[in-house]
Amino acid sequence: MSLTMLITMIVCFAFSVSIAVSIGLASVIGISVANANMLIAAKEMFTAINKFPLAAIPFFILAGNLMETGGISQRLVEFAKSLVGGIQGGLAATCVLTCMIFAAVSGSSVATTFAIGAILIPALVKHGYPINYAAALQATSAELGVIIPPSIPMILYGVSAEVSIGELFIAGFGPGILIGVALMVFVIIYARIKGYGKHDHEGKLTVLAAAKQAWLALLMPVVILGGIYGGVFTPTEASVVAVFYALILGLFVYRETRLADIAVILKKSVLSSAVIMFIIANAGLFSFMITRAGVPDAIGTYLAETLKSPAYFLLGVNAALFIIGMFIETSASIIVLAPILVPVAIKFGIDPVHFGMIMIVNLALGMITPPFGVNLFAACTVAKISLDNIIPRLLPFVGVILACLAVITYFPPLSLYLRDLVYVR
């Protein structure tokens, strides 16, 4: 059965069938080969999405779209620029810092790419940065949207691996800050080597002026994350609070969101949410089928016998995830692989929260690596360039994140120190 499912998936991939349809079709054929009741498909697909934490996904997507339309993104850019935009390469660093702040609410890298890229890619080009470099920088920086909490992939991992989403959220701060700082240092040094950004200080507001203009927008992640860790509301409830906060700012405070925009924003959010939920439903069915076929146990036994130590296990998993992330969408990868790999990681004594950070950071790389990097497509759309123009500029950024991934992998306190402080065991 599992071999039939694998062959079906490979054939579907070869004919460019979407990931969700490929794994769903493979699962249905697996049910047929096993002579099982086809009602299993409907039952497991419903079970996969009938989980309360998943309700946060459409709300965080909607919050991100409201932020983009309501003027919140522009104010965050001006504030970030006031902090780091006064030096050569500061505008590139502004891109990274703004994505870090925006990520603390949106939870989506694609939403971050569109919202921040629409402002900063033209600004970077105007200040003398090559357009393909600006697009590569934006695509890479937006990856922080799934690493810094709240994060949609973290919610999916928590549901799939039965790990506390609150613990995952707080564990994401260390890796997110590490990657953000590393990217900022890199782009500043690179700008000086290449001679980019000599006039980045132009148009920069003072920190006080920018903070006065953006303080309500900056309060948004404080309200959301403070509410979660203060026990006021759950991560799912926080997503609803984020929507109302963004809506009030856009409609009544900044007044950049018109009532006519609401229908367009809702339609865009529904379409994005439906795509993710369809992937989750099909991946849930696929996960059920491979578990029934005994694949996770077989893989776990093989890895335990082949990779004798946690260090080798993590190295092997990282290599596999890096390749998988290039071809399979992040959400689908997490839902399918987490139930398989997490029990093995626990056998090796690896904390499932730490392992979740490794999986999420690694698979997030797939968002900026060809051939299916969603951030690349989004950045190319904003910059109006072809994919082949952006790829050469990506390699240094990928190298920086891989170096950070090595630190995250082999230095668990980076992910677990804050978690252990907040969640006393």
Side-chain angles (χ1 to χ4, degrees):
M1 179 180 71
S2 55
L3 181 60
T4 305
M5 291 170 61
L6 178 62
I7 293 171
T8 303
M9 279 180 47
I10 293 172
V11 171
C12 288
F13 290 161
F15 284 95
S16 300
V17 178
S18 70
I19 299 297
V21 174
S22 298
I23 59 180
L25 182 61
S27 302
V28 169
I29 291 176
I31 293 172
S32 179
V33 170
N35 292 320
N37 192 325
M38 200 57 71
L39 286 174
I40 290 174
K43 174 182 174 295
E44 292 303 323
M45 290 176 76
F46 176 77
T47 301
I49 59 175
N50 187 32
K51 296 172 181 175
F52 181 69
L54 294 180
I57 293 174
F59 285 113
F60 276 127
I61 290 173
L62 178 56
N65 289 332
L66 287 168
M67 289 173 69
E68 178 184 353
T69 308
I72 296 173
S73 305
Q74 179 66 54
R75 286 165 175 79
L76 292 179
V77 168
E78 292 298 336
F79 177 74
K81 188 177 180 181
S82 73
L83 294 177
V84 297
I87 58 176
Q88 184 177 350
L91 192 60
T94 297
C95 181
V96 179
L97 183 57
T98 308
C99 288
M100 291 177 71
I101 301 171
F102 192 90
V105 178
S106 72
S108 166
S109 66
V110 177
T112 305
T113 303
F114 281 113
I116 307 302
I119 301 167
L120 276 175
I121 290 177
L124 286 162
V125 173
K126 182 180 177 182
H127 281 256
Y129 293 85
I131 190 166
N132 55 353
Y133 175 81
L137 170 62
Q138 179 57 64
T140 306
S141 301
E143 181 189 328
L144 292 164
V146 301
I147 298 171
I148 294 178
S151 159
I152 291 172
M154 286 183 190
I155 295 171
L156 297 177
Y157 177 87
V159 171
S160 302
E162 298 181 356
V163 175
S164 166
I165 294 172
E167 291 188 27
L168 289 168
F169 276 8
I170 202 163
F173 282 110
I177 292 170
L178 171 68
I179 294 172
V181 170
L183 284 173
M184 282 194 282
V185 171
F186 170 76
V187 296
I188 290 171
I189 294 173
Y190 190 80
R192 296 188 177 188
I193 293 173
K194 293 291 185 178
Y196 300 152
K198 293 181 179 179
H199 303 287
D200 281 359
H201 62 280
E202 294 177 359
K204 183 179 82 71
L205 298 175
T206 64
V207 175
L208 187 61
K212 184 178 179 181
Q213 177 181 280
W215 74 274
L216 283 172
L218 292 168
L219 195 60
M220 193 174 181
V222 176
V223 171
I224 303 307
L225 297 173
I228 293 173
Y229 298 120
V232 179
F233 37 70
T234 66
T236 305
E237 293 163 346
S239 65
V240 181
V241 174
V243 169
F244 278 99
Y245 194 100
L247 189 62
I248 290 169
L249 285 188
L251 279 176
F252 304 114
V253 181
Y254 300 146
R255 297 183 180 180
E256 294 189 24
T257 301
R258 300 169 300 166
L259 287 175
D261 296 329
I262 301 298
V264 177
I265 294 169
L266 287 172
K267 180 181 178 181
K268 181 180 177 183
S269 302
V270 167
L271 289 173
S272 299
S273 302
V275 169
I276 294 177
M277 289 301 182
F278 186 59
I279 292 171
I280 293 170
N282 284 284
L285 174 60
F286 184 79
S287 178
F288 170 80
M289 291 304 297
I290 61 174
T291 301
R292 179 172 172 167
V295 173
D297 290 337
I299 291 175
T301 302
Y302 173 78
L303 290 175
E305 292 176 353
T306 306
L307 305 172
K308 301 295 184 181
S309 71
Y312 284 127
F313 168 72
L314 290 174
L315 182 63
V317 165
N318 271 323
L321 290 177
F322 182 71
I323 296 169
I324 290 168
M326 290 183 180
F327 297 96
I328 300 180
E329 198 271 337
T330 303
S331 299
S333 300
I334 289 172
I335 295 167
V336 172
L337 295 175
I340 298 173
L341 294 176
V342 170
V344 184
I346 292 172
K347 283 183 181 179
F348 277 106
I350 300 166
D351 191 293
V353 172
H354 174 222
F355 189 73
M357 292 303 105
I358 296 170
M359 276 196 75
I360 290 163
V361 172
N362 196 319
L363 291 171
L365 267 170
M367 297 176 176
I368 61 168
T369 51
F372 300 122
V374 290
N375 282 13
L376 298 186
F377 296 125
C380 287
T381 300
V382 175
K384 298 178 182 178
I385 59 174
S386 60
L387 185 62
D388 58 306
N389 285 333
I390 196 175
I391 292 173
R393 296 287 189 174
L394 277 170
L395 297 178
F397 293 117
V398 172
V400 171
I401 295 178
L402 282 173
C404 292
L405 176 61
V407 176
I408 294 164
T409 300
Y410 293 108
F411 187 64
L414 182 68
S415 302
L416 301 179
Y417 180 74
L418 279 178
R419 192 282 307 269
D420 292 341
L421 278 181
V422 174
Y423 293 89
V424 180
R425 294 176 177 275

